[in-house]
Amino acid sequence: MPKINGNEIRPGNVLEHNGGLWAAVKVDHVKPGKGGAFAQVELRNLRNGSKLNERFRSADKVERVRLEQKDQQFLYEDNGMLVLMDTETYEQVQLSAELLGDRRPFLQDGMMIVVEYHEAEALNASLPQKVVCKIVETEPVVKGQTAANSFKPAILDNGVKVSVPPFVGQDEDIVVNTETMEYVERA
């Protein structure tokens, strides 16, 4: 695996550090008045989610890990396990639903997701950035109200609560950003 210098670490890089796999979440390059410059890196463990703040000098060498990304289709959920199918080999795999975290409700039947593997171990899964959902419950539309900076609460068909503009009504389809869990536009 390629080794990189401590000052080459960027957010999103996956590193092998202290015997674990860590994703760089935030990187700040610090140049103190006295002493050498260093990178202050916030790391998140890919296996258990714990966080760690670490300093890397430019002379420090760290292992950069490349994860294999596979497009897989969601088939169904069984006892907290997601059953996915590799679209190239048609092989079915089971992964823990915890891999998606709080984005789990946005997973829909037949949806394509990207799963990141290190050797044979699934470490991360990501949904499409935008998903169409139906509003199940919200306050009624008030005539003449424009898209001002006011939002009202709404409950989606998957149980997630989001804030929507006042002109959006019940039983309407909207597009939701799965990363920020916010309203984007009408579908």
Side-chain angles (χ1 to χ4, degrees):
M1 282 188 231
K3 284 193 178 269
I4 60 171
N5 293 335
N7 61 348
E8 295 174 353
I9 300 171
R10 301 284 176 260
N13 286 162
V14 177
L15 310 172
E16 193 168 315
H17 180 65
N18 290 349
L21 288 174
W22 301 82
V25 178
K26 196 169 146 189
V27 179
D28 288 322
H29 293 280
V30 181
K31 197 172 176 185
K34 193 173 188 181
F38 59 88
Q40 182 73 37
V41 183
E42 184 180 317
L43 300 167
R44 181 179 52 83
N45 190 310
L46 291 175
R47 291 193 173 104
N48 61 21
S50 63
K51 290 203 172 181
L52 171 73
N53 277 311
E54 199 73 61
R55 284 183 177 181
F56 294 101
R57 302 215 174 274
S58 62
D60 295 342
K61 295 278 189 192
V62 287
E63 292 270 340
R64 182 167 174 208
V65 179
R66 293 216 185 264
L67 299 179
E68 182 185 359
Q69 293 186 335
K70 286 186 180 176
D71 288 336
Q72 298 191 321
Q73 185 177 19
F74 172 66
L75 299 176
Y76 60 92
E77 186 172 355
D78 184 34
N79 293 331
M81 298 297 281
L82 304 176
V83 178
L84 304 169
M85 179 180 68
D86 190 318
T87 53
E88 292 174 12
T89 62
Y90 300 107
E91 179 184 330
Q92 289 186 9
V93 291
Q94 286 192 335
L95 301 176
S96 172
E98 293 174 9
L99 219 63
L100 290 171
D102 53 359
R103 297 171 315 218
R104 164 64 192 99
F106 291 108
L107 188 61
Q108 298 167 352
D109 289 343
M111 182 180 276
M112 295 298 292
I113 64 173
V114 178
V115 182
E116 294 181 324
Y117 288 93
H118 178 255
E119 288 156 10
E121 179 186 9
L123 295 174
N124 192 15
S126 56
L127 296 173
Q129 188 175 2
K130 293 180 179 176
V131 175
V132 175
C133 297
K134 184 184 273 312
I135 296 178
V136 177
E137 185 182 318
T138 189
E139 298 166 10
V141 176
V142 179
K143 287 263 188 229
Q145 207 157 17
T146 61
N149 288 341
S150 62
F151 281 83
K152 62 183 181 181
I155 299 174
L156 303 175
D157 54 359
N158 57 13
V160 175
K161 292 180 183 173
V162 295
S163 294
V164 296
F167 59 82
V168 177
Q170 193 165 318
D171 296 327
E172 280 191 53
D173 288 339
I174 62 167
V175 177
V176 179
N177 183 326
T178 57
E179 293 168 11
T180 61
M181 293 194 179
E182 293 175 343
Y183 166 87
V184 178
E185 62 190 3
R186 280 181 170 163

